[in-house]
Amino acid sequence: MKILFIGGTGTISMAVTRLLAEQGHEIILLNRGSRNIELPENVRVIQCDISDEADAARKLEGMSFDCVGEFIGFVPEQTERDYRLFSGRTKQYIYISSASAYQKPPSDCVITESTPLANPYWEYSRNKIACEEYLMKLYREKGFPVTIVRPSHTYDERSVPLGVHGRNGSWQVVKRIMDGKPVIIHGDGTSLWTVTHNSDFARAYAGLVGNIHAIGQAFHITSDESVTWNQIYSIIADELGRELKACHVSSEWLAAVSDYDLEGSLIGDKACSVIFDNSKIKRAVPGFRAEVRADRGIRQTIRYILAHRECQRDDEEFDRWCDKVVSAVEQSKKAMQ
C-alpha cells in the first residue's frame, strides 16, 4: 500500500513508520525533517511544514494514497485543512486522537469506545474531541473514510512514563532518584494506570491500515495491563538500584501550585483510575495483544536512557520546583504536630 504520514517521527508514529516499512509498504512522510535521520532507508520524505497549506498542496499535487495518517493534528483547523488536501485522494484517513478525551471523572473505571467523550479539565482533550466530531460528521455526510485512534499513555525507549515531570521530559525525575532525592507521586500512588509500549501500539495501528472494518470507527489501543503509580516509580528505582523516596501529594494541590498544566494532565487524565477494554481493536485486528509488560518495558527504557546522553536533558527549573513542593509538604506535617 501507498501510505502518507503527516509527522511520522514521534513517539507513536516512529514505531508505526518503522513497522509498516518493514512490512514492505510504500511509506511517505510529510514533515519538517527534524528527526528524519533515524528513518529506515526505504522511507521517502517530503520536507514541508503542513501549516503552509499552499506549499503542501503543491508538493502533493497529483498524488493519491491508500491511507493518510495524521499524527500531529491537535485542533479542528488542522483537520479541516487535511480534508481540503486529501478529500478524494485517499482510501482511508486515520486520525490520532487521545484516550484523555474520555469522560473525566469517569462514571465507570472500565473504558470502552462507547464511553462518553467529555473532559472539562484539559483543553488539549476538548480540542481532540472537536476534531473527532468534525471528522465523523464528514464521514456521515460526505463519506470521507475516517478512522479514529485513541492512544493512552504510550512510551518508547527515550522517555520513562511518569505522572509528574517538567518541560524537558522524564530525565530529571530519573536523576532525582539516582541522587537520592524525593520524587513527587500524585495522590497516594495507588490509582490504576495503563502504559503502552509504542511497539505494541504500532502492531495494532498497522492492522487498521487498509482494514475495511475500521472505516467510520473509533478504537483505543492500549495494553491490557493495569499498574499503580507506586509500582511504576518503584520499577524505575529498582532498575537504578536506588531507594524510592516517594513524596505523595494531592493532585488538586499540585495543579494549584504548578505552572506545568497539571490540572489537565493529572485531574483530566492521570489521576483517574482507568482500565481499558480492548475488545474492539482485537476484533478488528485478530491476534493483536500487547506483549511488552510494564516492568520490562520501563527497565529497557531506563537502560537506553542511561546509555544515551542525548536523552539526559537536565531541567533545573523543575528540580527546584520539586524541592519547593517537598519542603512545603514537610513543613505542613511539622505544623500539624
Side-chain angles (χ1 to χ4, degrees):
M1 288 185 287
K2 185 176 182 180
I3 303 166
L4 174 75
F5 287 152
I6 303 167
T9 60
T11 296
I12 290 176
S13 56
M14 180 67 87
V16 176
T17 295
R18 287 171 174 163
L19 178 58
L20 288 170
E22 289 173 6
Q23 292 177 351
H25 299 288
E26 180 183 356
I27 308 296
I28 303 169
L29 305 187
L30 182 70
N31 63 37
R32 292 179 293 184
S34 58
R35 287 189 62 206
N36 289 342
I37 192 172
E38 303 177 31
L39 293 170
E41 292 182 0
N42 60 335
V43 175
R44 176 185 166 195
V45 176
I46 299 175
Q47 196 158 332
C48 173
D49 183 348
I50 196 170
S51 62
D52 185 344
E53 185 176 341
D55 185 44
R58 284 193 296 271
K59 290 179 176 176
L60 294 168
E61 187 175 359
M63 301 176 70
S64 61
F65 308 95
D66 293 297
C67 179
V68 170
E70 170 62 272
F71 288 95
I72 55 174
F74 302 102
V75 295
E77 291 79 9
Q78 293 168 321
T79 50
E80 292 167 9
R81 173 207 63 211
D82 287 357
Y83 178 69
R84 291 191 294 269
L85 286 172
F86 300 110
S87 177
R89 301 173 64 182
T90 184
K91 297 176 183 177
Q92 185 181 27
Y93 173 92
I94 303 181
Y95 175 71
I96 292 290
S97 182
S98 170
S100 69
Y102 289 122
Q103 182 185 56
K104 300 295 183 304
S107 58
D108 190 322
C109 67
V110 179
I111 305 297
T112 71
E113 283 81 358
S114 61
T115 297
L117 304 182
N119 192 330
Y121 304 104
W122 205 359
E123 183 181 14
Y124 164 81
S125 305
R126 294 193 296 275
N127 283 332
K128 287 290 191 179
I129 294 169
C131 289
E132 286 197 33
E133 290 174 344
Y134 170 75
L135 290 168
M136 293 308 294
K137 186 172 186 290
L138 289 177
Y139 168 72
R140 290 190 299 268
E141 297 181 359
K142 300 186 178 181
F144 190 54
V146 173
T147 299
I148 304 293
V149 174
R150 300 175 186 138
S152 186
H153 197 158
T154 307
Y155 70 103
D156 66 4
E157 71 278 5
R158 297 166 299 168
S159 183
V160 183
L162 297 170
V164 180
H165 59 79
R167 296 182 177 88
N168 285 352
S170 65
W171 167 248
Q172 198 64 43
V173 175
V174 173
K175 189 172 185 296
R176 287 181 69 88
I177 295 174
M178 293 172 65
D179 293 342
K181 300 180 73 173
V183 293
I184 297 167
I185 301 178
H186 61 277
D188 65 1
T190 62
S191 59
L192 293 175
W193 193 241
T194 299
V195 294
T196 306
H197 197 272
N198 68 344
S199 62
D200 282 331
F201 179 92
R203 289 187 297 105
Y205 184 105
L208 293 176
V209 175
N211 188 329
I212 60 171
H213 302 293
I215 304 301
Q217 297 291 327
F219 303 86
H220 52 240
I221 299 174
T222 78
S223 171
D224 292 320
E225 180 185 18
S226 296
V227 291
T228 69
W229 285 105
N230 286 337
Q231 288 174 321
I232 290 173
Y233 282 80
S234 294
I235 292 165
I236 297 168
D238 185 65
E239 180 61 29
L240 293 170
R242 299 291 195 274
E243 176 189 358
L244 175 63
K245 298 180 179 179
C247 178
H248 293 101
V249 189
S250 157
S251 298
E252 289 80 3
W253 192 83
L254 286 171
V257 301
S258 169
D259 293 328
Y260 298 106
D261 189 26
L262 293 184
E263 180 178 26
S265 65
L266 287 184
I267 301 172
D269 198 23
K270 297 181 180 70
C272 302
S273 281
V274 292
I275 300 169
F276 291 96
D277 180 340
N278 285 293
S279 300
K280 186 174 181 179
I281 185 64
K282 291 176 180 178
R283 287 194 300 271
V285 185
F288 168 70
R289 181 177 66 87
E291 297 177 351
V292 181
R293 206 171 68 194
D295 59 336
R296 293 174 180 172
I298 292 170
R299 290 178 187 278
Q300 290 171 3
T301 297
I302 290 293
R303 291 194 286 269
Y304 185 92
I305 289 173
L306 294 179
H308 291 79
R309 185 66 183 86
E310 68 274 14
C311 297
Q312 302 171 21
R313 299 176 60 201
D314 290 335
D315 192 337
E316 294 180 2
E317 177 189 49
F318 178 71
D319 200 48
R320 289 192 297 270
W321 179 79
C322 289
D323 288 338
K324 288 175 63 177
V325 169
V326 172
S327 177
V329 170
E330 293 304 315
Q331 289 176 21
S332 67
K333 290 178 182 178
K334 292 178 182 179
M336 295 300 292
Q337 293 175 353

